[in-house]
Each structure stands twice: as C-alpha cells, then as structure tokens.
Amino acid sequence: MTTTTTAATVVGIDLGTLTTKITLSSTHDFEIVRNAHGGHTTPTAVTFAGPTRPRLLGEDAADISRGDENTVWMMDRLLTGNNCCDTTDDSNDDQKIMMMQDFCRFQFDNHTNSVYIPNMDTTYDTTALLAMLLGRVKRNVLATIQRRTGKNDNNADNEELEFVFAVPSNYPQVTRQAVMDAAYAVKVNKSRVVDGARCLAAVYQRKFYDGQDVDDDVVSNNNSNESSNDDGDEQKKTNKQKKTVLVVEMGHSRSCVSILQCGGVGGGNKEEEAASQNQNDIPSSNNNVQVLSSVSSATLGAAMIDMALFHHFQSNHPSLSHTTTTFLTPKSRPAQRLMEGCRKLKHILSMLPEGNVTVETIGKNDTDVSLSGNRELMKQLCQESVANKLKSMIAAAVEKAGGIGVLGDIGSVEITGGGTRIPMIQDAVRHAIGKGDDFVLSKSLDDTSLAFGASLLPIDESTTNVEVDAEHEERRAQLLEDEMAMMERDVQMVRKDEIRNQIESHILELRSARHSTHGSLLPSSDEFASYLDDNDDWLFSDECENATVEEMEEKWAQIQAKTQEFCADYLAATQADAERKEKELEDEAKRAAAEQGAEAGEGEVEDHDTRRLPFKRRMEIVLKNKTEANELFSGRNYQHAAARYAKALSHCNKFFDMSPEQQNEVNEVKLSLYLNLAFAYIKLEKLDNAFLQCNEALKCDATSVKALYRRATVLYQKRKFDEASKDLDEAEKLAPDDKALQKLRVLVEKQMTKQKAKEKAMAKKMFG
C-alpha cells in the first residue's frame, strides 16, 4: 500500500462547553469550518434517538435546553481528570462544578467518568462520547475542504488531518491524553493539545506584528484619547518596541487571564515556558508576542451568572412561591425552562440596562412567569462569585508576570468570549488594573481566536505522536473499533430512514392523487385501497422497526413494482404531464429572461416574481416548488426542503380574482404544504416552528386528521402530553381506525402514566 507524502491539514479546535469552534490552517486560508446546517459553530452535544435510530451529533443533536437524559453536552468538562481542575484558590469550586452538572439531565457518573443512556440502555465512557462529536467535526472539516477545492470524490476520508486542540493551561495531562485518544478513535492519527494563552498570542502576533507595523488605532486604542495627533508618530514608534497586553477570556464555564509581551525577544516567564513544553506545547521564545503569565479557572464563567439569577428568582419571585425544591430541582423541566429564561435575561442585560423575559408554564396552575431585572440586580448577585474572582485572577496573572509594575506597561486590554460582553465583567476588568469607566477595552480577538491560534501554531513532530504503553494502546484500539462500528450502524440507520421516508411519501402521494387531474386513472378496487393500507400499517409495525437495510430495500422494490402494476396508466399520464409542464416552465423562463433583458436595456428592471400571472401558470410554479421540496425531503435534506415548501406557500399568496373552485384548490394545496412544512420542521427538531405550521394547516381545514396528528406529535415531543391527548381525541373522532393515531396514543398514555406515577411519588415523599 502506498502512503501519501503530502502534509497534513492542520485543524484548530476550541472545544467549548456549549459550542465548538473549528478553523483550518493557512493551507485553506484559515477558513472557519461551518456545520452541516451552515452555522459557524458546532454544538458540543450528542443525542441518542434510540436503538433503531442513528445518533444525532453536533448540529443535529437536540437543543440542550430541551434535551432529556439521552442528550449529552459539555463533554469538555466530563473528561477524566477535568472535573475539578483550577489554578485559583477557591474552596467552593467543587461545589460550583456540581451545581453546573446538577442542571444536566443526563446521568453522569463522576467516579467512572461515564454516562448512562436510557434510550440505548448502555453506558458510554466520556472519551468515547467526545470521539462521537469529533467524528462529526471531521466530516464537517472534510466537507469544507471539498467545497474549497472543488473536489467531490470518494477519497475524502483519506485526507490527512492534524487536530490541534486549544485548552486552558490547567488541563491535566490525563485530560489532554483523553482528548487525543478521542481524535485517534475517528482516525485522526495526528493530534496535539496546546495552551489557549499561546493560541491567543499567536493570533495577536498574526494580526499586529507579522510583516507589518503595529496598528496604533487598533492595538493602542485605549490611549487614543490621551494622545494628540502631534504625538502619533512617537506613539507608533513606541508600539513597535516592547509593550504589554492583558487578555481576558470568559466563556460559558471557563475563564482565562493572560499577559502577553509584544515586541522584542526573550524576557518571558521561563517557568511558564517550561511548563507549557511539558504539556505538549511549543516554546515561544522566537515569537514577537510571548506569554508572560496565564491563570485559568475551571468554574468561572457566564454560567455562574445564570445560576445566580436562577436561585434569586426561585427564592424571591412571588409567582414561584408555591413551588417546592422538588418542583424546581435542577433536572426538572420547569427548572430547565426557568434556567433558559435566566440565560435570555442575562443576554438582554448585556445590551440594555433592564429587561424582561417570560417563562412559560412554571407558575401556579401552569401559568407563565415574567422575570424582570436590571444590571444593578445582576451586579449585587454576582459581585462576590464572579466579578471579585475575576479580579483575583487578574491579580494572580500580574503577580506571575512580575508584579504590580507590569500594570504600568499595559498598552492594551483585549477581551474575548461571550462572558466579556457583560458590562459588569468589563467594569471588573477595568477596576482590577486601576482604570476608570472611560477606559476602552479592545475586542480585536473574536470568539474564534482560540481555534484560529491553534491552527497557526506550527507542527512539532515531537508532540504529534503520543507515547503509550501496551494497555493504553489496547484502550485506544478498542475506542477506534467501537466508534467505527457505531459509524457503520449510523449509516445503516440513515439508509433505513431514507427508505422509510420514500415509502411514506409514495403512499401519501398515491392517496392524495385521487383528487388530482389524472386521479380517475387510479384503480378504484378494494384491492388497491387494501394495498395502501397494508403498506401504511407496515411502516408502523415491529417488522419495519426491526428490518435490516436489505429487507427495507427489498420491500421498497416490491412496493414500486406493485404500484407500477396497479397504476400503469396513471403513472404514464403523470409522467407525460410533468414533461409538458417542465417544458412550459422552461419556455416561460426564457420569455421572462428576454423581457428582463429588454427592460434592463431601457434602464428599468421589473421584479417578475410580482407579476399577475394567470392562475394556471402560478399554480404550476407552486406545484413545481412543492415537487422539488418533496424530492429534497426524500433525500433527507430537510433544511432546504423546508425552505422550498415555504417558497411554494409564498407563491400561494400571489393568486388573484379566484373563483370559488380555484380558492378551494389553493386551500387544498396550502393545507398539504403546511403539513409537509410541519413534518420537515419535526425532522429538524424545530418544534415551535412545526407547531405553528400545524396551526396554519388547521385554519385551512379544522377536520384534517393529519394536521391533528402532526400537532399531537409535536406536543408529545414537547412533553405536553395532556394537550397531545386532546388532539388525539379530536383526530380519533374523525378516523377511529387510523393505525398511526393508535400508535401515538399508546406512547402518550405511557408517558402520562409515568408522569402521574412520578407526581404521586413526589406527593408521598412530601406529605408522607
């Protein structure tokens, strides 16, 4: 077997508690790696949908605010050796970490560093869970490289990658090893773990020192108000020499304070350099920007503000006076909603002096509760636990860098991370270095700086290969084997879902075709009706649930063959119709292009999408968009399918002067589009959007069984079982023999029984 000699593509990774940021190296112009949905970050989460469903990784995982015990997040905090590391002296850190973990609904065992997943009835090691996430990260990286290079071949998996993880300086060696083991489990054989402070230094050097003069307006903007234009040249000359930069980074659950020396070589903290080299980092003695000191906290972060607000409202809000500690235990649904409301209020107070947030169904008799607060309240709650601790960290960093004299040399203060957007945090930074409220904090380092810096640091061959003993090598091999097996299982489950969707779409299309133009060509025999019913029932049967991919493909082939036998005339007519419509649309597009070209020549460009098209032509556009959306849906491209359904609905609003018959036809199409759009949103787990589309469908037809079923499905997933049961009641009146309704009824009643049993147990515990 031949081996490639091309250099590995370096991938910088900032593994965060909530999201993970990824950038490529200079080979690909430091491109930010987008997730499969187009976002710039990848959620640090994994959802297990069940033994017959694929894992939902990263951007596909359930939102952590709505996830249950089958969704695992904050993997960076769960790794072995990483539960209570902190370089600051705070006796309450262990308690703070436990407070944060208490709000996680998944079942984490701190002693074995593993998580039990009820859906799978399996316990997973936290390194294995991180490997699952990194598998998605790797696929997103390869997709980005393919998009940039234009290559779309089958050799993508052979692309040699090197993952470089930016971590706090207090990451123990055992945790660093676990991160690299997780990378190994997804066939990334080269990986390194480097200190985040050095990553920030690399970015700062890249921005302001590599091959260019220091930008006085950016680097020294803090002193811009104190220097006249006459002093500009002198100030810029000083910047090119030696200066000190304070960098404060605060994320969701971690913080880091670093002091950088810019300009000049040498003079760094030798102990710091030696320690970083022992932790698989590289020395920075040849850089123009060096790390003088770095202090990290494993507990200080914006999440501490969320928890402070949570406990304040839990204890003092009049509408929550009825609650008990059992009702608002951190893992309970009401507590999760209250915590989400506190997060939203924190974000509002980061931008406005005061704010208000409404949290649904946590008050008496499931009433909504309004949370009101201002910045002064947040300061009172968090001064000791957050602001003062940050000041202590800054003081510790100054002491490590050489003492109080360093403060006089500080030419710039950089803040980065979501937590530093909070005014209270910014004030704490200013006061810690003796500056006034008018002192300007620079934001030259954005939220991707850690990942960017990791991709900047050059490859050091001595740190890419990890020396492991035989026992460790065996564990790594087992991790790799297990992850490859789960990836193969995911592929099989995805293929099963694709076939299931194809069969379901096929049956729905045949049922609705009865009312189409060529519906009279469909057989009217009881045999054909039974054929559709039997296949519909099969989709919800245990046989389908437990079928292999081969069995599903065989079933799909049988259905297609049988449909061709039953509906040959109908299929031929619809095919001819589709070809005719396609040609008409192409001719119309050519005419529109010609008209637009002529009008553009006259200096006028008309928006042809607003033309008063004849009913027939507008309906063709609607149905074309619907057909394309159905194809996208069948290919599991739910995001784009939803967009296409929405576009079809927008065209439905452009009909005019319709007859009653035409109005009925449009309403039928809109009903179908709303139902399909709701289904797409369910697949995307955008339940609120799906709920709205179901409501719109019911406005079109209040007796639509499918709309009631879809809305009941949404309510079931939102764990609103009583409301789901009401929709099922209405649907069953209209279709008492519907198998899908019966199956959902069983699921809803099972959950309602569990809920009542839990409430009974709580009452017994409270009142004896």
Side-chain angles (χ1 to χ4, degrees), residues 228-246:
S228 66
N229 292 332
D230 295 337
D231 296 333
D233 292 338
E234 185 64 28
Q235 181 66 39
K236 193 170 287 189
K237 183 177 179 180
T238 301
N239 288 337
K240 294 175 187 176
Q241 300 171 2
K242 190 177 296 185
K243 65 179 298 179
T244 303
V245 177
L246 171 67

Side-chain angles (χ1 to χ4, degrees), residues 466-476:
V466 181
E467 294 184 7
V468 295
D469 56 28
E471 182 181 354
H472 190 175
E473 189 63 50
E474 186 177 342
R475 289 201 304 272
R476 283 161 62 96

Side-chain angles (χ1 to χ4, degrees), residues 626-739:
K626 181 184 177 185
T627 300
E628 291 174 355
N630 289 342
E631 291 173 357
L632 289 166
F633 190 96
S634 298
R636 298 185 77 250
N637 197 340
Y638 305 126
Q639 188 80 27
H640 291 93
R644 189 64 69 178
Y645 285 131
K647 186 173 182 180
L649 281 166
S650 71
H651 282 290
C652 286
N653 296 325
K654 297 175 183 177
F655 290 102
F656 62 95
D657 297 338
M658 291 184 288
S659 67
E661 293 78 12
Q662 290 174 332
Q663 182 67 62
N664 290 336
E665 184 178 350
V666 171
N667 285 342
E668 287 181 7
V669 173
K670 287 175 70 175
L671 174 62
S672 175
L673 288 170
Y674 282 130
L675 289 171
N676 291 351
L677 183 54
F679 199 13
Y681 281 138
I682 289 172
K683 292 291 187 180
L684 291 168
E685 297 193 12
K686 295 184 177 180
L687 301 181
D688 292 336
N689 291 354
F691 183 77
L692 291 175
Q693 301 310 315
C694 291
N695 288 342
E696 292 298 324
L698 287 167
K699 289 179 184 178
C700 294
D701 182 3
T703 62
S704 171
V705 174
K706 189 178 292 184
L708 289 167
Y709 170 74
R710 289 268 160 84
R711 191 167 72 176
T713 300
V714 172
L715 291 168
Y716 170 76
Q717 293 188 23
K718 289 169 72 72
R719 302 187 69 81
K720 296 184 177 181
F721 304 123
D722 290 337
E723 295 178 43
S725 182
K726 291 177 183 177
D727 276 351
L728 288 175
D729 290 342
E730 292 299 319
E732 286 170 343
K733 291 177 184 177
L734 300 166
D737 298 325
D738 191 292
K739 298 293 180 63

Side-chain angles (χ1 to χ4, degrees), residues 366-385:
D366 288 338
T367 56
D368 298 344
V369 170
S370 178
L371 307 180
S372 300
N374 54 40
R375 289 177 178 174
E376 186 60 32
L377 170 67
M378 189 161 65
K379 185 175 181 180
Q380 291 173 4
L381 296 175
C382 304
Q383 183 66 41
E384 184 65 31
S385 61

Side-chain angles (χ1 to χ4, degrees), residues 203-204 207-208 217-219 221 412-416 441-447 449:
V203 175
Y204 204 82
K207 282 179 176 284
F208 303 119
D217 291 333
V218 176
V219 179
N221 58 4
S412 177
V413 177
E414 297 284 346
I415 57 174
T416 182
L441 303 175
S442 175
K443 300 175 183 177
S444 301
L445 303 176
D446 61 28
D447 290 351
S449 292

